[in-house]
Amino acid sequence: MTTAPTRRHALRYLLITAAVLATAEARALDLITAEEAARPAAEIPTMRGITRGPSVTQVSPAPDAKALETPLKLKIAFKARGGAKIDPKTVEMTYLSTPPVDLLPRARAGLSADGIELADVRMPPGLHPIRLRVSDNEGRETETLLKLDIAK
């Protein structure tokens, strides 16, 4: 026979576990929705060559990573050149579908002059091309294409 204190402890444990799981689920960011991923692909633009604009580096996941599992950590580093500073207000993050999707409102919480850092990012399976544009305070711009390959 279960005693009342044991039942209370079990109930308390269940409530705490449910709260932790709900919090983790609430923190996850759906960067690209299933509906957006199902749209026709946009033409992938050719990226320009050498630029004096800021450098944009995909830190995590690795740029050549295949069959990624979600949720994942997305970290993009920005670095200005020649004493300039990154202007976070100029950052554009676009999912290249038809029509394109502005992802910056979803990613804004992780945006700084140092880059974009988002934990617990979810996306549906498939190859997701994302264009990033970044400018410095001297007006020099860099455009980079990320390709995130999410496992099916």
Side-chain angles (χ1 to χ4, degrees), residues 11-106:
L11 181 58
R12 184 176 301 149
Y13 175 77
L14 287 173
L15 290 173
I16 290 170
T17 302
V20 168
L21 290 174
T23 301
E25 185 68 21
R27 277 195 331 237
L29 170 67
D30 289 320
L31 188 62
I32 298 166
T33 67
E35 182 270 325
E36 292 163 346
R39 294 179 183 176
E43 185 174 322
I44 305 298
T46 303
M47 296 293 129
R48 296 185 304 195
I50 298 172
T51 177
R52 292 188 60 221
S55 71
V56 178
T57 305
Q58 183 176 334
V59 177
S60 175
D64 57 352
K66 303 285 185 223
L68 297 164
E69 299 291 329
T70 66
L72 58 82
K73 179 179 179 180
L74 180 62
K75 183 173 182 180
I76 311 298
F78 304 154
K79 185 172 182 194
R81 303 178 201 273
K85 295 185 183 347
I86 300 293
D87 183 357
K89 290 182 239 160
T90 66
V91 174
E92 295 177 21
M93 185 177 195
T94 308
Y95 182 51
L96 297 178
S97 64
T98 304
V101 179
D102 181 5
L103 299 177
L104 196 58
R106 300 173 198 171

Side-chain angles (χ1 to χ4, degrees), residues 99-124:
V101 179
D102 181 5
L103 299 177
L104 196 58
R106 300 173 198 171
R108 192 169 305 282
L111 175 64
S112 72
D114 295 325
I116 298 172
E117 189 165 353
L118 301 167
D120 299 321
V121 173
R122 293 187 303 199
M123 297 176 223

